Amino acid sequence: MQLRDVTLATLISEGLRLARYGIVGVGATLVHVGVALALAVGFNMNSFAANLFGFSLGFIPSFLGHYHWTFKNAGASKDAAVKRFLILAAAGFLANNVVLAALTASGLVGRAASIVLAIAIIPAVSYLGARFWAFRESRS
């Protein structure tokens, strides 16, 4: 498909898919953050361990929401999609922590800005990975 072949219906469809991705992502992020904060603050767990638990529990609504709603008609089998999405999510989690550590260590921006930037950068890249790899139809 070439750019000149893109129709208004295609743009609207992609925009709606992107909105669903955002809604599911916000919900999963709330689970991730809620669990991590509860464990770190409420139970005095190590921050990195609490973050990993939060990520792990946030993965569940993230995968299910994207598989059954965001990319519902993409054609991927559930087994293939969960494996690819787990790889994508783990890579995103790792990249987020690397970006956060680099921004924090650089001192170029404050702590809050580092967190916001790290959180903002990774979902855009993750969307492309989910859209064109994790939930695409498996080729036999």
Side-chain angles (χ1 to χ4, degrees):
M1 177 169 66
Q2 295 182 2
L3 188 56
R4 66 175 170 249
D5 297 332
V6 174
T7 65
L8 181 59
T10 302
L11 291 174
I12 291 170
S13 175
E14 197 63 36
L16 291 172
R17 182 179 293 112
L18 189 56
R20 290 190 301 268
Y21 182 84
I23 291 167
V24 170
V26 167
T29 299
L30 290 174
V31 171
H32 178 163
V33 170
V35 169
L37 287 176
L39 292 173
V41 176
F43 294 95
N44 201 29
M45 181 182 275
N46 173 282
S47 295
F48 290 100
N51 194 34
L52 182 59
F53 274 103
F55 166 79
S56 299
L57 289 179
F59 176 83
I60 297 166
S62 182
F63 174 76
L64 293 174
H66 291 316
Y67 184 80
H68 291 292
W69 190 43
T70 306
F71 302 105
K72 181 178 182 179
N73 298 316
S77 74
K78 196 173 212 175
D79 287 343
V82 75
K83 289 173 189 171
R84 291 188 299 230
F85 190 66
L86 181 57
I87 291 167
L88 182 66
F93 180 72
L94 177 63
N96 176 273
N97 281 288
V98 167
V99 168
L100 180 59
L103 288 170
T104 302
S106 75
L108 294 173
V109 294
R111 185 175 181 205
S114 296
I115 292 169
V116 170
L117 286 171
I119 289 171
I121 292 168
I122 303 308
V125 176
S126 294
Y127 173 77
L128 295 174
R131 171 76 172 90
F132 295 108
W133 180 63
F135 292 100
R136 71 165 162 65
E137 185 174 359
S138 301
R139 305 198 198 289
S140 300

